Amino acid sequence: MPTRELPYPVFDADNHLYEPEEALTRYLPKEYQGAIQYVQIRGRTKIAVRGQISEYIPNPTFEVVARPGAQEDYFRHGNPEGKSYREIVGKPIRSIPAFREPGPRLELMDEQGVQRTLMFPTLASLLEERMRDDPELTHVVVHALNQWMDEVWSFNYKDRIFPTPVITLPIVEKAVEELEWCLERGARAILIRPAPVHGFHGPRSFALEEFDPFWKLAQDSGVLVAFHSSDSGYERYAGEWEGKQREFLPFKPQPFRQIGQWRAIEDTVASMICHGCLSRFPDLKIATIETGSAWVRPLLEKLADAYKKMPQGFQHDPVEQMQRLIHVSPFIEDDMSALADLLGIDRVLFGSDYPHPEGKADPITYVDDLAALSDSAKAKIMGGNLSRLIPA
């Protein structure tokens, strides 16, 4: 039984699965099989992308993982004692079937009191940045991952778990084909990295008119577009300030990187508005997941200032556009009431990040952070708003 019973359905916008090794390798065509490898380094298994060993995920097999919710106190109250990451997360645990398979996960959701959830991959967040100079390879590897997800989880498991296939956009025609493939298999939500797209001629925004065929299909199909926290490549910019380039390591935070941590999602949403994508496709369903809400107020203020000074640069009021189309899943430490005031209560989504250590050990207790809101507002945030975007 869940730790409490809520008088309304709970729809979690942010759950994760842990991929086994075959998730990225089973469906790779023979000519690309060397692109993703698992190698042994001093007795530990590491992932190598195109022969380059990555430390982005310390244990890419996920046989042993951090305890769900291990960092909740850290994110709520900070780290006044200056503890190390290892001290904060504590002793790891063995992965359980519910982290790997949809059947056991559904049983766990019943125990947690969660009716429906989006289900994001975990290791997938490292792929695109490490293959950014090879658009063809990027599409091949992403499709191989999606094939595995469809086989093991499906994209709609019993109308309760909605795994999110990854859509990469370097080659527009291939992105359209991939989205069509996913929609044919029942995808209700897709995952897009909040970052510029690296094509054959360098990076550019996916909000430019070049990508309109993709966005038209996304709009016409009614699929939810989720921009989820990822390695967006912004470590390069921090590296220029610090005079050294290094791999983005999410579990080894640095103060300077922390300052601009959510610049990628702010730039993503700004581009969707300023480059006219949301004007050309005003019925898109968009949600930002695991990127918090600290960036929302600053971006609204910047958009308002830009609109005041150069209204001719916009087809519509950008503030109204953001408030109408962008749904945000805030962090547990964010001010929910303030976010609701900025965007409207209909744009706020509950997301637990389960079973990641940064999230909630008991997802349903998220409702405690909504104590200042009315019961009707709680019902919308805990599931009603996402149910509107992905109706039963």
Side-chain angles (χ1 to χ4, degrees):
M1 292 292 292
T3 54
R4 70 194 64 188
E5 298 281 353
L6 298 183
Y8 37 77
V10 176
F11 196 162
D12 196 333
D14 188 21
N15 265 212
H16 286 269
L17 60 89
Y18 285 131
E19 301 98 317
E21 293 184 24
E22 61 264 25
L24 297 177
T25 59
R26 179 182 296 173
Y27 287 104
L28 273 180
K30 289 184 178 180
E31 63 269 30
Y32 293 100
Q33 284 180 356
I36 304 293
Q37 295 176 303
Y38 287 82
V39 297
Q40 295 296 313
I41 304 293
R42 294 186 293 275
R44 292 178 175 269
T45 302
K46 298 293 181 180
I47 189 169
V49 180
R50 296 193 303 174
Q52 185 69 40
I53 295 171
S54 172
E55 294 288 346
Y56 177 81
I57 300 291
N59 181 9
T61 68
F62 301 114
E63 293 175 355
V64 175
V65 296
R67 176 174 50 85
Q71 291 180 275
E72 184 171 348
D73 185 71
Y74 164 78
F75 283 109
R76 286 189 182 280
H77 305 115
N79 183 19
E81 298 176 358
K83 294 180 179 180
S84 68
Y85 178 80
R86 185 174 296 275
E87 290 173 321
I88 290 170
V89 299
K91 187 177 180 179
I93 64 171
R94 303 290 300 182
S95 272
I96 60 175
F99 298 167
R100 303 279 203 174
E101 306 166 30
R105 187 53 161 267
L106 202 58
E107 294 176 5
L108 178 60
M109 287 167 56
D110 288 338
E111 296 173 9
Q112 295 173 331
V114 175
Q115 280 70 49
R116 298 200 288 167
T117 186
L118 299 184
M119 190 67 63
F120 293 93
T122 298
L123 193 59
S125 60
L126 68 76
L127 293 176
E128 292 177 81
E129 181 59 23
R130 285 153 188 79
M131 300 183 293
R132 65 180 183 271
D133 61 342
D134 192 336
E136 291 277 2
L137 176 63
T138 304
H139 281 278
V140 168
V141 174
V142 165
H143 182 60
L145 171 62
N146 288 340
Q147 286 179 285
W148 174 85
M149 287 181 65
D150 179 46
E151 176 191 335
V152 175
W153 286 80
S154 84
F155 298 138
N156 180 349
Y157 187 75
K158 297 188 177 181
D159 287 325
R160 292 187 60 190
I161 298 176
F162 301 98
T164 58
V166 180
I167 301 294
T168 189
L169 290 150
I171 304 171
V172 181
E173 296 77 13
K174 288 186 177 294
V176 171
E177 291 175 5
E178 189 72 16
L179 179 54
E180 289 174 338
W181 186 88
C182 295
L183 292 172
E184 289 170 359
R185 287 156 180 79
R188 303 293 299 277
I190 57 175
L191 166 59
I192 292 180
R193 183 176 74 131
V197 174
H198 287 260
F200 292 114
H201 303 292
R204 74 281 199 208
S205 169
F206 48 57
L208 299 175
E209 292 186 11
E210 172 190 354
F211 295 90
D212 281 2
F214 173 82
W215 294 116
K216 184 178 188 305
L217 177 58
Q219 176 176 263
D220 292 349
S221 68
V223 71
L224 174 65
V225 177
F227 293 120
H228 190 286
S229 180
S230 181
D231 183 354
S232 294
Y234 276 52
E235 191 72 12
R236 293 195 301 282
Y237 309 129
E240 291 182 0
W241 282 102
E242 295 178 331
K244 55 186 176 181
Q245 292 293 338
R246 61 187 177 195
E247 182 183 33
F248 173 41
L249 302 176
F251 303 112
K252 294 184 179 180
Q254 301 292 324
F256 182 74
R257 186 182 67 82
Q258 183 76 16
I259 298 299
Q261 188 173 15
W262 307 117
R263 181 62 185 268
I265 189 61
E266 182 178 344
D267 288 350
T268 294
V269 175
S271 178
M272 293 291 286
I273 294 171
C274 295
H275 290 132
C277 185
L278 296 190
S279 292
R280 297 192 299 275
F281 303 100
D283 295 319
L284 281 171
K285 298 177 180 179
I286 296 176
T288 66
I289 310 294
E290 206 178 320
T291 54
S293 63
W295 55 275
V296 173
R297 183 184 295 276
L299 179 54
L300 285 169
E301 291 174 350
K302 293 170 188 175
L303 290 172
D305 183 64
Y307 189 52
K308 179 177 69 175
K309 294 175 179 176
M310 54 188 82
Q312 71 277 14
F314 299 88
Q315 295 183 41
H316 300 93
D317 182 334
V319 171
E320 183 277 333
Q321 203 167 55
M322 181 170 166
Q323 291 172 331
R324 185 173 64 84
L325 291 175
I326 305 300
H327 299 75
V328 174
S329 179
F331 291 138
I332 55 176
E333 67 268 26
D334 292 345
D335 187 332
M336 310 290 180
S337 297
L339 179 61
D341 289 341
L342 288 170
L343 290 180
I345 199 69
D346 292 340
R347 304 293 174 260
V348 184
L349 306 176
F350 149 61
S352 71
D353 195 28
Y354 187 89
H356 286 177
E358 308 96 304
K360 300 284 293 183
D362 185 4
I364 207 166
T365 60
Y366 189 101
V367 74
D368 295 337
D369 298 306
L370 310 178
L373 301 176
S374 67
D375 287 343
S376 63
K378 293 176 185 177
K380 287 184 176 183
I381 292 174
M382 292 299 293
N385 291 336
L386 191 52
S387 293
R388 170 174 43 81
L389 296 171
I390 303 179

